[in-house]
C-alpha cells in the first residue's frame, strides 16, 4: 500500500511540475510574441479603418446633392418628423382619453 501511495504522489508532483514549467515558459516567451502580434494587428486594423473612412467620406462628398436639393430634402424631413411627432402625441392623448371614458363607464 505504501508503494502505491508513493507512485501516485510522484505522478501528481510530476504533473504539477510540468504544468508550472509550461505556464512559466508561456508567460516568459510566448507572451512577448503575442503582445507584439497584437500590436501589429491593432495597427493594421487602424490603418484599414482609416482607409475605409477616408474612402467613404470622399465618395459621399462626390455624391453630394446640389445645395438646393439638400435644403428641400432637409425641409421635407423636418416637416415630416414634426407632423409625425404631433400625430403620435395626439393619438396618445386620444388613447388615454378613450381609456378613461371606457373605465368610467364600468
Amino acid at each position: 500500500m505504501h508503494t502505491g501511495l508513493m507512485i501516485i504522489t510522484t505522478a501528481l508532483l510530476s504533473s504539477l511540475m510540468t504544468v508550472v514549467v509550461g505556464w512559466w515558459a508561456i508567460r516568459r516567451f510566448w507572451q512577448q510574441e503575442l503582445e507584439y502580434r497584437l500590436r501589429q494587428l491593432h495597427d493594421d486594423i487602424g490603418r484599414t479603418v482609416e482607409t475605409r473612412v477616408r474612402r467613404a467620406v470622399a465618395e459621399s462628398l462626390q455624391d453630394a446633392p446640389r445645395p438646393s436639393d439638400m435644403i428641400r430634402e432637409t425641409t421635407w424631413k423636418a416637416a415630416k418628423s414634426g407632423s409625425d411627432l404631433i400625430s403620435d402625441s395626439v393619438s396618445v392623448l386620444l388613447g388615454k382619453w378613450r381609456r378613461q371614458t371606457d373605465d368610467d363607464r364600468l
Side-chain angles (χ1 to χ4, degrees):
M1 182 68 131
H2 184 64
T3 306
L5 185 61
M6 287 190 66
I7 291 173
I8 291 173
T9 305
T10 305
L12 289 174
L13 288 175
S14 174
S15 298
L16 181 64
M17 283 180 52
T18 302
V19 168
V20 169
V21 169
W23 177 78
W24 177 78
I26 288 174
R27 295 268 303 166
R28 172 97 174 150
F29 301 110
W30 288 341
Q31 184 177 9
Q32 292 173 357
E33 179 68 26
L34 290 175
E35 286 176 356
Y36 176 72
R37 288 184 182 181
L38 183 63
R39 273 189 242 111
Q40 282 182 329
L41 181 63
H42 185 265
D43 292 342
D44 290 343
I45 290 173
R47 282 191 294 271
T48 303
V49 168
E50 182 180 1
T51 302
R52 288 184 181 176
V53 167
R54 285 178 190 252
R55 187 178 308 142
V57 168
E59 289 175 0
S60 67
L61 289 176
Q62 290 174 354
D63 297 340
R66 294 178 304 181
S68 61
D69 294 340
M70 198 171 2
I71 290 172
R72 184 180 312 121
E73 186 176 329
T74 304
T75 305
W76 174 253
K77 285 181 182 178
K80 180 154 177 36
S81 64
S83 68
D84 289 344
L85 178 66
I86 291 172
S87 174
D88 291 343
S89 300
V90 169
S91 66
V92 167
L93 287 174
L94 289 177
K96 285 183 179 179
W97 179 71
R98 286 182 185 155
R99 278 189 226 124
Q100 287 176 357
T101 56
D102 289 341
D103 292 340
D104 291 342
R105 290 181 189 169
L106 295 174

